[in-house]
mmCIF file of all heavy atoms in Angstrom:
data_model
loop_
_atom_site.group_PDB
_atom_site.id
_atom_site.type_symbol
_atom_site.label_atom_id
_atom_site.label_comp_id
_atom_site.label_asym_id
_atom_site.label_seq_id
_atom_site.Cartn_x
_atom_site.Cartn_y
_atom_site.Cartn_z
ATOM 1 N N ASN N 1467 104.861 117.825 89.070
ATOM 2 C CA ASN N 1467 104.217 119.019 88.507
ATOM 3 C C ASN N 1467 102.706 118.871 88.374
ATOM 4 O O ASN N 1467 101.994 119.871 88.212
ATOM 5 C CB ASN N 1467 104.821 119.347 87.141
ATOM 6 C CG ASN N 1467 106.264 119.798 87.250
ATOM 7 O OD1 ASN N 1467 106.678 120.330 88.285
ATOM 8 N ND2 ASN N 1467 107.045 119.595 86.185
ATOM 9 N N ASN N 1468 102.228 117.628 88.439
ATOM 10 C CA ASN N 1468 100.785 117.390 88.362
ATOM 11 C C ASN N 1468 100.167 117.159 89.740
ATOM 12 O O ASN N 1468 99.034 116.673 89.842
ATOM 13 C CB ASN N 1468 100.506 116.177 87.461
ATOM 14 C CG ASN N 1468 100.937 116.420 86.025
ATOM 15 O OD1 ASN N 1468 100.699 117.497 85.467
ATOM 16 N ND2 ASN N 1468 101.597 115.430 85.425
ATOM 17 N N SER N 1469 100.936 117.483 90.790
ATOM 18 C CA SER N 1469 100.502 117.349 92.184
ATOM 19 C C SER N 1469 100.335 115.893 92.614
ATOM 20 O O SER N 1469 99.727 115.624 93.652
ATOM 21 C CB SER N 1469 99.193 118.123 92.428
ATOM 22 O OG SER N 1469 99.413 119.509 92.296
ATOM 23 N N LYS N 1470 100.872 114.972 91.832
ATOM 24 C CA LYS N 1470 100.846 113.567 92.235
ATOM 25 C C LYS N 1470 101.979 113.314 93.233
ATOM 26 O O LYS N 1470 103.112 113.753 93.041
ATOM 27 C CB LYS N 1470 101.032 112.668 91.011
ATOM 28 C CG LYS N 1470 101.052 111.179 91.345
ATOM 29 C CD LYS N 1470 101.299 110.341 90.093
ATOM 30 C CE LYS N 1470 101.384 108.859 90.424
ATOM 31 N NZ LYS N 1470 101.652 108.033 89.226
ATOM 32 N N ILE N 1471 101.666 112.596 94.311
ATOM 33 C CA ILE N 1471 102.682 112.295 95.318
ATOM 34 C C ILE N 1471 103.645 111.250 94.774
ATOM 35 O O ILE N 1471 103.240 110.163 94.354
ATOM 36 C CB ILE N 1471 102.027 111.801 96.626
ATOM 37 C CG1 ILE N 1471 101.219 112.933 97.259
ATOM 38 C CG2 ILE N 1471 103.085 111.287 97.603
ATOM 39 C CD1 ILE N 1471 100.465 112.530 98.512
ATOM 40 N N ILE N 1472 104.926 111.599 94.783
ATOM 41 C CA ILE N 1472 105.934 110.696 94.239
ATOM 42 C C ILE N 1472 106.985 110.315 95.291
ATOM 43 O O ILE N 1472 107.986 109.665 94.973
ATOM 44 C CB ILE N 1472 106.644 111.325 93.021
ATOM 45 C CG1 ILE N 1472 107.282 112.673 93.386
ATOM 46 C CG2 ILE N 1472 105.676 111.477 91.859
ATOM 47 C CD1 ILE N 1472 108.129 113.279 92.268
ATOM 48 N N GLY N 1473 106.758 110.716 96.528
ATOM 49 C CA GLY N 1473 107.696 110.367 97.575
ATOM 50 C C GLY N 1473 107.590 111.314 98.759
ATOM 51 O O GLY N 1473 106.533 111.903 99.001
ATOM 52 N N THR N 1474 108.673 111.455 99.492
ATOM 53 C CA THR N 1474 108.692 112.326 100.665
ATOM 54 C C THR N 1474 109.934 113.210 100.629
ATOM 55 O O THR N 1474 110.969 112.837 100.066
ATOM 56 C CB THR N 1474 108.707 111.518 101.978
ATOM 57 O OG1 THR N 1474 109.823 110.623 101.962
ATOM 58 C CG2 THR N 1474 107.431 110.738 102.160
ATOM 59 N N ILE N 1475 109.807 114.372 101.232
ATOM 60 C CA ILE N 1475 110.925 115.280 101.429
ATOM 61 C C ILE N 1475 111.113 115.447 102.930
ATOM 62 O O ILE N 1475 110.131 115.633 103.666
ATOM 63 C CB ILE N 1475 110.659 116.653 100.786
ATOM 64 C CG1 ILE N 1475 110.443 116.508 99.279
ATOM 65 C CG2 ILE N 1475 111.806 117.624 101.074
ATOM 66 C CD1 ILE N 1475 110.003 117.804 98.612
ATOM 67 N N PHE N 1476 112.351 115.352 103.402
ATOM 68 C CA PHE N 1476 112.608 115.571 104.821
ATOM 69 C C PHE N 1476 113.636 116.687 104.988
ATOM 70 O O PHE N 1476 114.533 116.866 104.163
ATOM 71 C CB PHE N 1476 113.106 114.283 105.501
ATOM 72 C CG PHE N 1476 114.408 113.751 104.976
ATOM 73 C CD1 PHE N 1476 115.631 114.173 105.493
ATOM 74 C CD2 PHE N 1476 114.416 112.808 103.953
ATOM 75 C CE1 PHE N 1476 116.827 113.676 105.003
ATOM 76 C CE2 PHE N 1476 115.617 112.304 103.462
ATOM 77 C CZ PHE N 1476 116.824 112.737 103.988
ATOM 78 N N SER N 1477 113.468 117.452 106.029
ATOM 79 C CA SER N 1477 114.423 118.513 106.340
ATOM 80 C C SER N 1477 114.487 118.648 107.851
ATOM 81 O O SER N 1477 113.495 118.428 108.553
ATOM 82 C CB SER N 1477 113.999 119.848 105.711
ATOM 83 O OG SER N 1477 112.733 120.255 106.202
ATOM 84 N N GLY N 1478 115.661 118.979 108.364
ATOM 85 C CA GLY N 1478 115.788 119.058 109.811
ATOM 86 C C GLY N 1478 116.932 119.936 110.258
ATOM 87 O O GLY N 1478 117.849 120.236 109.498
ATOM 88 N N ILE N 1479 116.846 120.360 111.510
ATOM 89 C CA ILE N 1479 117.916 121.127 112.129
ATOM 90 C C ILE N 1479 118.389 120.370 113.355
ATOM 91 O O ILE N 1479 117.607 119.698 114.033
ATOM 92 C CB ILE N 1479 117.453 122.538 112.541
ATOM 93 C CG1 ILE N 1479 116.233 122.460 113.480
ATOM 94 C CG2 ILE N 1479 117.129 123.376 111.324
ATOM 95 C CD1 ILE N 1479 115.862 123.782 114.095
#
Side-chain angles (χ1 to χ4, degrees):
N1467 292 333
N1468 296 317
S1469 293
K1470 179 182 177 181
I1471 294 177
I1472 57 174
T1474 56
I1475 300 173
F1476 62 88
S1477 60
I1479 56 171

